[in-house]
Amino acid sequence: MADLAAAWTAIEHAPQATLAALFAAEPDRLSRFVVEESGIRFDFSKTHLDAGLTSSFVALANAAGLERARDALFAGEAVNVTEGRAAEHSAERGQGAPDSVAHARGFHARMRALIDAIEADALGPIRHVLHVGIGGSALGPDLMIDALGRDAGRYDVAIVSNVDGAAMEAVFRRFDPAATLLVVASKTFSTTETMLNAESALTWMAESGVDDPYGQVIALTANPDKAVEWGVDETRVLPFSESVGGRYSLWSSIGFPIALALGWDEFENLLEGAAAMDRHFRFTPLERNAPVLAAFVDLYYAVVRRAETRAVFAYDERLRLLPSYLQQLEMESNGKGVTVDGVPVDRPTAPITWGGVGSDCQHAVFQLLHQGTHLVPVEFVAAIEPGDALDDAHHRTLLINAFAQGAALMTGKANDDPARAYPGDRPSTTILLDSVDPVRLGGLIAFYEHRVFTNATILGINPFDQFGVELGKEIARSIESDGTDRFDPSTRALIARAFA
Ligand code: F6P
């Protein structure tokens, strides 16, 4: 504890030079703060990390037991202390306790066999896939299929999460019920929105004349008994382990629509890309470790400079869903107020993650980033290979804009007219992928997972529970079952007005 406090004190009292001064003082900045791993370039040089601060953060990580925690994570120990279980998403990609890896392989084999059967039309002439799930049971598949599967031409996949019936209706208008596979994805198999959407899909199929709607249903869940009880044939239930958290689950059977849309080989490439990042995280010294350096940057701005948000801009249309994927991963994991020992934290935890797509956002929100009063560390994510066949000018313009924004934030520009001056010295990180492909995206998402874990370990919080989401669900249930008497006047009046 004393080591931890001393390490924080050193960081909080470190001299704060400008980015320009850091570049001038450290000729080796690029070799120190750029990490190339598995076809991804992580450039942290435009942040305020310097050699001294990095050493202090390494001391902090050591005091917080990061390497020990990392070993425990990969050994399948119960690192999710509040729920008394392991966090074994990396076992899904072959990196973890041998038993867990073997277990995951068995589940993957089952998944693959079912995909082979579907491709052989064993469930009928399937062309459409309606995946219902929410949160971690939707965001990962949605991101990956949107990024990689649009031109795969195998199946038309729709992912519906919102309980708003308009979302389901839009798919019903588009899909042929006789050629639709209904995929019900829910770790618990009890989430209200998902189960209601699944029921409506079954009704739509039945009312459209499908003889045996249940014959076209697949369940992806860690609660297989519940799926069978609900009516899914046991042979079409694809289980995954309870120790894989919802927002870490795209590697498990929750990734079924990804494998179906892209093909099994591409799904394996995704796993392999993530596994390479796992190895990087496990075996690279902290000061050259991409997720660890990223966490140092996060902690520096959130804790020392009190930045309340961080922004992620995907300068690639294929990655337009990345910011919303990261919102769940980062905020549901690290938006916590107590430590693993149940004591209130004494420093800010996860900042608010937000963002969008470049260059669109330049013409909407970047004003605040360049001249506003909030400090917002920015992350640019881009790819060297274009995703289109149009004139090179498109991709070139996209990339040049991304790089120009980072340079503008950092250098700023003086002007006698204060309204036209740019203060500069604003930090950014650039993540440049060789291409948007399964291997790189696997690596990218694993990088974010390990960055979240590193942040959490140093802050002493548990990134693997999410009790904060329960109270609202509980109140919604009790409004349905017991009425509104025990609620406040505002809530009672809203309900009365809406349902009068
Ligand atoms: O309510 C939050 C949450 O539990 C997320 O953590 C999870 O990803 C999502 O709901 C969906 O849960 P399930 O997969 O059990 O339906």
Side-chain angles (χ1 to χ4, degrees):
M1 282 305 259
D3 287 355
L4 206 58
W8 271 121
T9 304
I11 290 166
E12 282 161 348
H13 292 94
Q16 298 192 346
T18 63
L19 293 170
L22 292 176
F23 269 98
E26 295 185 321
D28 61 345
R29 235 180 127 64
L30 285 194
S31 55
R32 193 185 285 274
F33 293 115
V34 175
V35 175
E36 293 265 1
E37 174 56 40
S38 307
I40 309 177
R41 179 182 177 93
F42 299 92
D43 184 344
F44 305 107
S45 66
K46 293 196 198 75
T47 72
H48 292 84
L49 274 191
D50 64 3
L53 206 46
T54 307
S55 310
S56 299
F57 267 111
V58 168
L60 177 71
N62 289 334
L66 176 62
E67 289 174 327
R68 195 179 58 245
R70 182 181 64 184
D71 292 347
L73 175 76
F74 284 98
E77 289 175 28
V79 292
N80 177 356
V81 287
T82 49
E83 297 180 296
R85 60 180 179 236
E88 297 194 285
H89 40 287
S90 63
E92 300 289 321
R93 47 231 196 193
Q95 304 295 306
D99 283 358
S100 308
V101 169
H103 213 58
R105 290 221 166 101
F107 287 150
H108 281 166
R110 198 179 151 106
M111 196 169 148
R112 184 179 186 172
L114 191 55
I115 288 175
D116 287 346
I118 291 165
E119 286 175 348
D121 287 345
L123 302 190
I126 299 297
R127 282 181 289 116
H128 299 143
V129 178
L130 170 51
H131 175 107
V132 296
I134 199 163
S137 293
L139 290 163
D142 213 3
L143 167 67
M144 290 301 170
I145 293 170
D146 194 54
L148 303 168
R150 279 196 248 176
D151 304 326
R154 291 167 58 90
Y155 295 93
D156 188 352
V157 183
I159 297 184
V160 176
S161 52
N162 201 336
V163 74
D164 185 336
M168 288 296 273
E169 266 183 355
V171 179
F172 295 163
R173 277 196 290 275
R174 212 154 61 76
F175 279 10
D176 170 4
T180 297
L181 183 72
L182 173 61
V183 179
V184 185
S186 174
K187 180 174 177 184
T188 53
F189 223 77
S190 61
T191 301
T192 307
E193 296 92 326
T194 300
M195 300 323 295
L196 190 52
N197 279 338
E199 296 283 356
S200 294
L202 282 176
T203 305
W204 164 68
M205 285 174 159
E207 288 177 351
S208 316
V210 173
D211 286 343
D212 175 21
Y214 280 100
Q216 292 174 212
V217 180
I218 307 275
L220 318 176
T221 185
N223 194 349
D225 292 345
K226 203 112 201 241
V228 172
E229 200 181 297
W230 187 76
V232 188
D233 190 276
E234 199 267 332
T235 58
R236 280 180 274 103
V237 176
L238 296 176
F240 64 97
S241 166
E242 186 64 41
S243 60
V244 175
R247 55 193 170 276
Y248 300 87
S249 64
L250 75 91
W251 325 99
S252 72
S253 66
I254 292 293
F256 171 82
I258 306 173
L260 195 61
L262 307 182
W264 189 260
D265 289 351
E266 295 293 36
F267 185 67
E268 284 201 330
N269 286 336
L270 184 72
L271 299 180
E272 187 37 47
M277 188 57 70
D278 290 334
R279 291 187 288 269
H280 170 82
F281 179 56
R282 283 177 94 171
F283 304 122
T284 308
L286 301 187
E287 62 279 4
R288 294 295 301 150
N289 192 309
V292 173
L293 284 172
F296 290 171
V297 171
D298 293 339
L299 291 165
Y300 179 69
Y301 292 116
V303 175
V304 180
R305 301 258 185 131
R306 301 280 155 158
E308 292 190 335
T309 79
R310 80 175 206 96
V312 181
F313 297 102
Y315 271 70
D316 198 299
E317 190 69 12
R318 294 165 292 181
L319 299 179
R320 64 187 171 168
L321 299 183
L322 183 65
S324 40
Y325 178 85
L326 293 178
Q327 285 184 316
Q328 187 200 23
L329 181 65
E330 299 184 354
M331 297 203 281
E332 195 168 80
S333 296
N334 287 350
K336 306 287 166 63
V338 292
T339 67
V340 283
D341 302 318
V343 177
V345 291
D346 53 8
R347 292 191 166 77
T349 57
I352 296 155
T353 306
W354 64 283
V357 176
S359 64
D360 296 12
C361 284
Q362 288 175 207
H363 303 275
V365 299
F366 274 41
Q367 163 65 38
L368 180 150
L369 301 180
H370 289 289
Q371 290 187 315
T373 54
H374 296 271
L375 168 65
V376 184
V378 174
E379 188 160 288
F380 299 102
V381 184
I384 298 172
E385 279 286 314
D388 65 273
L390 298 191
D391 190 294
D392 284 355
H394 285 271
H395 200 64
R396 200 180 154 75
T397 305
L398 190 66
L399 288 188
I400 286 178
N401 268 278
F403 305 151
Q405 290 298 323
L409 286 166
M410 180 172 92
T411 52
K413 192 170 179 211
N415 195 301
D416 291 342
D417 176 357
R420 291 180 167 79
Y422 298 79
D425 197 36
R426 300 192 169 198
S428 67
T429 297
T430 303
I431 299 178
L432 185 61
L433 284 68
D434 282 352
S435 65
V436 174
D437 60 40
V439 174
R440 271 53 174 238
L441 285 195
L444 181 69
I445 298 304
F447 156 81
Y448 282 116
E449 290 176 349
H450 295 318
R451 170 188 191 163
V452 162
F453 176 76
T454 303
N455 268 294
T457 304
I458 293 176
L459 289 166
I461 58 177
N462 178 7
F464 299 118
D465 64 15
Q466 61 284 320
F467 294 114
V469 302
E470 294 306 326
L471 179 59
K473 295 183 194 175
E474 197 183 299
I475 291 181
R477 276 194 299 269
S478 99
I479 290 173
E480 288 285 14
S481 58
D482 308 327
T484 60
D485 289 356
R486 73 188 181 89
F487 295 109
D488 61 275
S490 162
T491 307
R492 282 207 308 271
L494 285 167
I495 292 170
R497 176 81 171 80
F499 301 113

